[in-house]
Amino acid sequence: MSEYHVPVLLKESVDGLDIRPGGLYLDLTFGGGGHSAEILRRMDGDARLMGFDQDEDAEANVPEDERFIFVNHNFRYFRNFMRYYGWERVDGILADLGVSSHEFDEAERGFSFRFDAALDMRMNRRGRLTAAEVLNTYEAERLAAMFRNYGEVENANRLADAVVKARTREDIKTSGDFYRAIEYCVPKMKEKKYLAKVYQALRIEVNGELDALEEMLGQVMEVLQPGGRLVVITYHSLEDRIVKNFLKSGNSAGREDKDLVFGRVARHFELVNRKVIVPSEEEIACNPRARSAKLRIACRV
C-alpha cells in the first residue's frame, strides 16, 4: 500500500514557519498530515494548529493530538472557521498547493491519465461539477479558453474542436474516451507533457483552484500577525505567479499600493528567501512529484 501523500520540502517549509512558543498556526492543505505532524512535533504544549482539507479522505490521517483541529472544508473559508473557534490572529500559515499523491494514485478519482477511469477530478466529492461534465457541456470557445489559460496548451482551439466533435457521437465519460477523442491533437514524443497540461487545466476548472487561492491569500492580510510567517509551495507557473505577486504587493494582481502624499510603495511582506527554494536532486529522486515545486517564505511586516 502506497503512502497517502509524501510531503514536499518538509524541513524547509516548517523551518520557514519559525514556530514560536504558544503560537497559533494553520496548515491549509492537510492531506496526508505530513507537514502538520512536523509542525506539531516542534510546537510546545500551549501552541495550537488548525488543518484544512476539502477531501474527506484526509480525515483518516488526523492525529490524536488535543492541540490540533481538523476542518473538512476548502481553505478559501479558513477565516470563517478561525472565527468559529475564536481565533483572531495566527503566527504562521502553510499551504502546499496542488494535488495530493493520494488523489493522483487513486484511479477512480480521475486525476491521472495513467488510468482509464471516470473523469471526475473533484477534490471535494460533495461538489457538483466533474471533468466529464466540463468536457460534455462547455462550448468550444469556453473549452479553448480553459485549456489555454489554465494549461497553457498551444493548440487549445484544435483541442476544443476535437472534444466537441467527439461528444456529438457519444459522451466523453472516461480518460480512455477522452484520449481517443483528442489523440490526433497530442504531439508525438511529448504525450505525457501535453496530457499533464490538459489534465491540469481540467482540474483547475473543476475545483476553481485559482479563485480559491486568490480568496485565501486575500484573507491572509487580515489574520497574519506582524512578524508572522506565510509559507507557500507551488507546482506550476499560474499559481506561482499569483503567490509571487501577492508577496510583492499584497494582492494577486501585483498592483502596488502607494502613499498618496509621498508616493512610497506600501510593503506588506518581507521575503525570507530572496531566491525561491527548490527540492534537492535527492528529494526529487525519492519523490518525482517534487520536481516542479517552488517554496516561497515571507514575513508579515
Side-chain angles (χ1 to χ4, degrees):
M1 181 178 179
S2 61
E3 187 173 346
Y4 184 100
H5 178 74
V6 180
V8 175
L9 291 163
L10 177 61
K11 181 181 184 301
E12 295 88 344
S13 58
V14 179
D15 282 350
L17 283 176
D18 190 27
I19 294 172
R20 307 170 181 175
L24 298 178
Y25 296 91
L26 303 177
D27 179 354
L28 297 181
T29 48
F30 177 72
H35 286 106
S36 281
E38 181 61 17
I39 294 169
L40 288 167
R41 190 183 70 80
R42 301 192 192 189
M43 286 179 4
D44 66 13
D46 295 324
R48 295 291 181 269
L49 172 65
M50 191 181 298
F52 292 77
D53 205 295
Q54 62 185 322
D55 190 335
E56 60 189 15
D57 289 355
E59 193 161 4
N61 304 313
V62 173
E64 293 185 6
D65 192 316
E66 61 183 11
R67 300 171 299 168
F68 182 79
I69 298 170
F70 178 71
V71 179
N72 182 205
H73 283 278
N74 191 297
F75 60 34
R76 72 199 311 166
Y77 307 117
F78 82 82
R79 185 176 53 178
N80 291 340
F81 284 95
M82 281 182 58
R83 289 171 176 165
Y84 176 80
Y85 286 103
W87 292 24
E88 294 184 5
R89 295 265 186 164
V90 295
D91 299 284
I93 300 173
L94 182 146
D96 179 9
L97 305 177
V99 186
S100 74
S101 309
H102 171 74
E103 288 166 333
F104 264 129
D105 294 339
E106 292 290 307
E108 69 271 14
R109 301 298 296 271
F111 283 98
S112 176
F113 53 81
R114 292 179 292 143
F115 311 108
D116 186 8
L119 288 163
D120 191 322
M121 296 195 188
R122 291 172 299 168
M123 293 178 179
N124 177 1
R125 285 185 280 192
R126 295 165 294 192
R128 180 191 61 79
L129 188 65
T130 66
E133 184 170 347
V134 169
L135 293 173
N136 289 299
T137 63
Y138 280 22
E139 295 179 352
E141 293 79 5
R142 190 175 180 187
L143 284 171
M146 177 190 72
F147 290 130
R148 185 182 307 111
N149 296 335
Y150 294 162
E152 300 177 301
V153 177
E154 292 182 359
N155 61 347
N157 289 331
R158 187 181 185 213
L159 179 61
D161 289 340
V163 171
V164 173
K165 181 179 178 181
R167 76 191 191 197
T168 60
R169 297 188 294 270
E170 60 180 343
D171 283 352
I172 299 170
K173 297 179 180 179
T174 68
S175 51
D177 295 340
F178 185 36
Y179 185 78
R180 287 186 288 273
I182 67 171
E183 186 171 7
Y184 66 88
C185 300
V186 181
K188 301 301 179 186
M189 309 300 291
K190 296 181 180 179
E191 290 90 346
K192 289 184 178 180
K193 186 174 182 179
Y194 181 85
L195 290 173
K197 291 181 176 181
V198 170
Y199 271 60
Q200 173 184 294
L202 269 171
R203 191 196 80 221
I204 290 174
E205 176 68 20
V206 168
N207 296 286
E209 290 179 37
L210 299 186
D211 289 340
L213 175 59
E214 291 184 2
E215 284 186 40
M216 177 271 280
L217 291 173
Q219 297 168 60
V220 166
M221 298 285 289
E222 300 180 32
V223 305
L224 191 59
Q225 297 268 23
R229 295 290 185 90
L230 175 63
V231 178
V232 185
I233 304 171
T234 64
Y235 293 89
H236 57 77
S237 61
L238 301 177
E239 60 191 16
D240 189 59
R241 188 178 305 124
I242 290 172
V243 173
K244 187 177 180 180
N245 284 341
F246 177 74
L247 296 180
K248 176 184 177 183
S249 63
N251 62 78
S252 60
R255 297 185 306 272
E256 294 184 333
D257 298 325
K258 292 186 177 181
D259 185 293
L260 295 177
V261 178
F262 301 103
R264 293 174 297 196
V265 176
R267 288 173 58 251
H268 302 283
F269 292 93
E270 183 81 39
L271 297 181
V272 174
N273 56 317
R274 294 290 176 180
K275 185 176 180 181
V276 68
I277 298 172
V278 297
S280 66
E281 289 301 320
E282 291 77 13
E283 179 170 5
I284 293 171
C286 296
N287 183 11
R289 176 179 176 269
R291 182 175 301 278
S292 59
K294 294 181 179 179
L295 171 61
R296 298 184 185 276
I297 306 168
C299 182
R300 184 76 165 93
V301 175

